[in-house]
Amino acid sequence: MQDTKGSSRLSGFHKLSPEQRRKQVAKWLDDDSMASAMANLDSGGLDTAGAQLLVENVIGLHAMPFSVAPNFMINGHNVLMPMVVEEPSVVAAASNAARLVRQGGGFFSTAPEPIMICQVQLHVNDTEQARAAILKESDKLLSLAGKVDPVLEKLGGGPKGLEVRVLEPEGQDPAMLVIHLLVDVRDAMGANAVNTMGEAIAPELEKLTGGHVGLRILSNLAERRLVKVWCKVPLAALEMDGYPAETVRDGIVAASRFAERDPYRAATHNKGIMNGVDAVLLATGNDWRAVEAGAHAFACRTGKYSPLAIWTTDDNGDLNGRLEMPMAVGVVG
């Protein structure tokens, strides 16, 4: 929730009642309609009839707390972060971290074009010959895929590229081709769009190569949607009761180094990161399982399971954080 006025630094927000917090959020957003809309939060905004439209075999609803984490500043914008999570202290930790990072200018982030990968598995007798035939007709294949979703193309998205990978024989498994259809999904998460495009080009791939198509489905290792986030916490901001600022800083850096050196610690380190990420994904109706899968696959990209975020000390003695992870999320659909 990005601001229309005021700062997201809401001191004492945790001391208010739920009703008082709703009023403050509505006022902060400067949106009168939000006040009435927030009344739906008592029921989670979903009834049994609505639930039956989402999934199968519904017998009721399962509630989880919907919270707001204040204090965030991202790329110069004040943000209140919606979070749905059942674990105590996650919202408080996020709010406190945002307060500290705010003193160093807030979080900064970059994200590339939202390219998702649709994988088409192709069994062929001659992988090199088939690969050459596919690449020769790549423009035709991209055009065929684009016809699936003309609205997406009109918005500037749609198929943007095609790659062909050869998986060499392994044991009793023969060689195969994997075609990567690269699709700009714009503001969508993109699963439905790319899956449909993969289905559309499958018959043409078989015709071009004489092969047999297997799976046609997106990859949750959304490495083309790699988000980078960095921040600085001034040393003075880290001083706590009974702990000098240098001790707190060095403890955080030492814990980060532990995660870099040991996959057992890295797994817990990354779980802590996903505490916050998953909570926001749930609150915004996104596929948290997809992001989890991509995050952990990305953490193994070097052959060793590694932390998604690391903390270091800069030349001024301040604490610096950096995070990289694939983020396949949508704001429509």
Side-chain angles (χ1 to χ4, degrees):
M1 291 184 285
Q2 191 169 308
D3 69 320
T4 56
K5 67 174 185 179
S7 170
S8 61
R9 177 70 181 103
L10 304 181
S11 180
F13 189 72
H14 65 288
K15 298 178 181 179
L16 303 178
S17 68
E19 182 60 32
Q20 290 172 323
R21 293 187 193 120
R22 291 180 192 176
K23 290 180 179 179
Q24 186 162 349
V25 169
K27 181 179 179 181
W28 183 81
L29 289 171
D30 195 21
D31 188 346
D32 293 337
S33 65
M34 287 297 296
S36 58
M38 286 188 182
N40 293 326
L41 293 176
D42 282 331
S43 64
L46 183 68
D47 57 20
T48 304
Q52 291 201 92
L53 298 175
L54 292 175
V55 296
E56 304 78 21
N57 300 343
V58 171
I59 63 171
L61 304 175
H62 176 80
M64 290 182 67
F66 192 117
S67 302
V68 168
N71 306 331
F72 280 85
M73 179 174 284
I74 303 173
N75 290 343
H77 297 288
N78 286 286
V79 176
L80 295 184
M81 200 65 70
M83 303 181 76
V84 171
V85 64
E86 89 296 342
E87 184 175 334
S89 301
V90 171
V91 177
S95 302
N96 187 52
R99 178 183 62 82
L100 294 175
V101 170
R102 189 183 188 89
Q103 297 179 54
F107 295 96
F108 297 90
S109 66
T110 60
E113 295 298 307
I115 301 293
M116 291 295 286
I117 299 170
C118 178
Q119 291 190 298
V120 182
Q121 178 190 28
L122 185 62
H123 303 280
V124 294
N125 293 326
D126 188 329
T127 55
E128 288 305 318
Q129 186 179 51
R131 181 176 182 274
I134 293 169
L135 292 176
K136 183 179 179 181
E137 298 295 331
S138 60
D139 288 343
K140 180 180 179 181
L141 291 164
L142 291 173
S143 177
L144 183 62
K147 293 177 181 178
V148 170
D149 196 336
V151 174
L152 186 60
E153 285 204 314
K154 185 178 179 180
L155 294 172
K160 298 298 182 183
L162 189 144
E163 300 172 345
V164 184
R165 298 169 52 223
V166 177
L167 296 187
E168 300 296 340
E170 186 173 306
Q172 299 298 314
D173 298 324
M176 72 173 71
L177 291 184
V178 181
I179 294 87
H180 280 191
L181 179 62
L182 309 178
V183 184
D184 185 328
V185 296
R186 296 287 85 190
D187 288 336
M189 183 272 185
N192 291 335
V194 303
N195 289 345
T196 306
M197 291 180 188
E199 295 281 353
I201 67 172
E204 186 65 22
L205 288 169
E206 291 182 333
K207 181 180 176 181
L208 284 171
T209 64
H212 170 66
V213 167
L215 295 178
R216 293 86 85 190
I217 192 167
L218 89 160
S219 171
N220 286 128
L221 179 51
E223 63 178 9
R224 304 299 180 105
R225 300 181 75 170
L226 187 63
V227 171
K228 299 180 180 182
V229 182
W230 62 96
C231 67
K232 178 193 295 285
V233 182
L235 177 62
L238 292 170
E239 186 174 354
M240 300 181 183
D241 292 341
Y243 295 95
E246 290 83 0
T247 299
V248 176
R249 178 201 62 197
D250 295 345
I252 293 173
V253 172
S256 179
R257 288 294 300 150
F258 184 9
E260 292 175 64
R261 297 174 61 190
D262 180 45
Y264 291 88
R265 173 58 206 166
T268 310
H269 179 101
N270 289 343
K271 189 272 181 183
I273 293 169
M274 299 312 295
N275 274 346
V277 173
D278 286 346
V280 176
L281 295 172
L282 277 168
T284 55
N286 273 285
D287 187 346
W288 59 270
R289 286 102 37 214
V291 175
E292 279 269 0
H296 295 299
F298 183 73
C300 297
R301 66 194 181 281
T302 63
K304 173 188 175 182
Y305 189 86
S306 303
L308 296 169
I310 62 171
W311 293 90
T312 58
T313 303
D314 65 18
D315 293 340
N316 294 323
D318 297 326
L319 182 66
N320 283 248
R322 186 176 77 252
L323 178 145
E324 291 185 69
M325 62 180 289
M327 190 64 70
V329 296
V331 296
V332 298

